[in-house]
Amino acid sequence: MGIELLVLTLDGVMFDTEDAHRRACNIAFKACGIDRHWGVAEFRAAASRSAALAITHAQGVSARDMKALLRQKHDAFHALVLDGAAGVNGECLSLAEEALAAGCKLAIVTDLPARTATALLEQACGEAVNDMFAVVASGAELGDANGNGPYQLALRTVGVEAEHGAAIEASASGLEAARAAGIWTFAASMMHGVRNAASGDRGRSHLREWRDIADDDASVQSPKPRALGFDMLCMLKQQHRQQRPDPQPQRMPRPKLVLPARRSA
């Protein structure tokens, strides 16, 4: 069973946006007169479900003030993106190009606002954006529970059945949304120890299957990690289907794959 549609997200997969999101949150706090400054650990705790909406988990902010705070955060993040603060993941672009060459369609699903998603994609792909991606769903409501979310939209638009799709996501909400649409998922997540989180050091993005994230042992890493290619992604999906015909989660060895984060100069 191959992959006819590969769905990617922007935060943490196509781009290294963590630091820019954190900085944007702090800019928004200051602009709204809120005496708060998030370090790396505080931001990650708030951003586990969505980096773009992490600031909505700030404690002690009224609903009315939260609207203004979120607007300030989006504006600050957009300005940082225009200033080149979000590094392009070149390895992910290579994966996308391999998928296109193999006849696979590409889609983007992101909860970032449309103007920011457009700016990021133009930075990465230039005028080739419309040729590369069959669907770009921005401002996505990833928690849509009525069966008509952004991943279902991508499948319908391209005309691909869920069993022939794959998604690479970095947030819990995005992974859950993709799986709810019946799409096979891989998680690109930052593997950080407590010391790294406290110091602000960055890890490298490790891809592993979403069903095993909860039981992951971050201390065990492949001695020779490999960048993920499209052929390898297809192979791993096939392995998963063969080993796990029952849709109920079961244990299986985690593939040790790495999608290294590339930062802009």
Side-chain angles (χ1 to χ4, degrees):
M1 187 178 300
I3 299 175
E4 298 178 14
L5 174 65
L6 177 59
V7 188
L8 304 171
T9 194
L10 301 183
D11 286 320
V13 175
M14 287 197 68
F15 297 87
D16 179 10
T17 57
E18 180 186 72
D19 188 61
H21 276 301
R22 185 183 65 83
R23 290 166 59 191
C25 287
N26 289 331
I27 291 170
F29 288 141
K30 184 175 181 180
C32 292
I34 297 174
D35 185 17
R36 193 162 307 170
H37 184 92
W38 276 350
V40 175
E42 292 91 346
F43 174 78
R44 287 179 184 161
S48 62
R49 297 198 60 78
S50 167
L53 301 177
I55 204 165
T56 61
H57 295 283
Q59 299 296 314
V61 181
S62 69
R64 184 182 66 178
D65 291 342
M66 183 58 73
K67 290 182 180 179
L69 184 62
L70 182 59
R71 183 171 60 251
Q72 287 282 354
K73 189 270 173 180
H74 283 328
D75 289 346
F77 182 74
H78 185 74
L80 288 169
V81 165
L82 296 180
D83 198 38
V88 179
N89 188 336
E91 286 74 17
C92 185
L93 287 181
S94 295
L95 170 63
E97 290 168 359
E98 288 180 22
L100 287 173
C104 178
K105 300 291 186 181
L106 296 178
I108 295 290
V109 169
T110 177
D111 54 1
L112 287 170
R115 60 170 181 159
T116 306
T118 299
L120 284 168
L121 288 171
E122 287 179 349
Q123 287 180 13
C125 309
E127 296 180 356
V129 171
N130 292 333
D131 295 329
M132 287 187 67
F133 300 102
V135 178
V136 176
S138 56
E141 294 287 343
L142 297 175
D144 193 330
N146 63 7
N148 194 33
Y151 284 95
Q152 289 90 342
L153 170 64
L155 291 169
R156 288 197 308 270
T157 302
V158 178
V160 170
E161 295 296 324
E163 64 182 6
H164 297 298
I168 301 178
E169 258 283 3
S171 70
S173 57
L175 288 159
E176 290 167 3
R179 289 193 62 209
I183 299 175
W184 181 76
T185 57
F186 254 73
S189 63
M190 303 303 289
M191 302 270 285
H192 298 281
V194 174
R195 289 191 298 274
N196 283 348
S199 66
D201 294 337
R202 300 196 183 184
R204 303 171 76 184
S205 297
H206 288 242
L207 288 179
R208 66 221 193 275
E209 196 182 2
W210 169 235
R211 289 189 180 95
D212 290 327
I213 284 181
D215 298 319
D216 185 40
D217 179 359
S219 66
V220 179
Q221 298 185 17
S222 172
K224 294 182 179 180
R226 297 171 292 170
L228 180 68
F230 185 67
D231 287 344
M232 190 183 299
L233 186 68
C234 292
M235 178 188 70
L236 289 164
K237 179 185 176 185
Q238 183 65 25
Q239 283 181 350
H240 169 268
R241 294 301 190 193
Q242 291 173 350
Q243 294 184 30
R244 194 177 286 170
D246 187 336
Q248 295 301 316
Q250 300 173 16
R251 291 290 301 172
M252 70 174 284
R254 290 188 299 277
K256 296 297 181 179
L257 300 175
V258 174
L259 191 62
R262 177 172 295 179
R263 302 178 183 82
S264 57

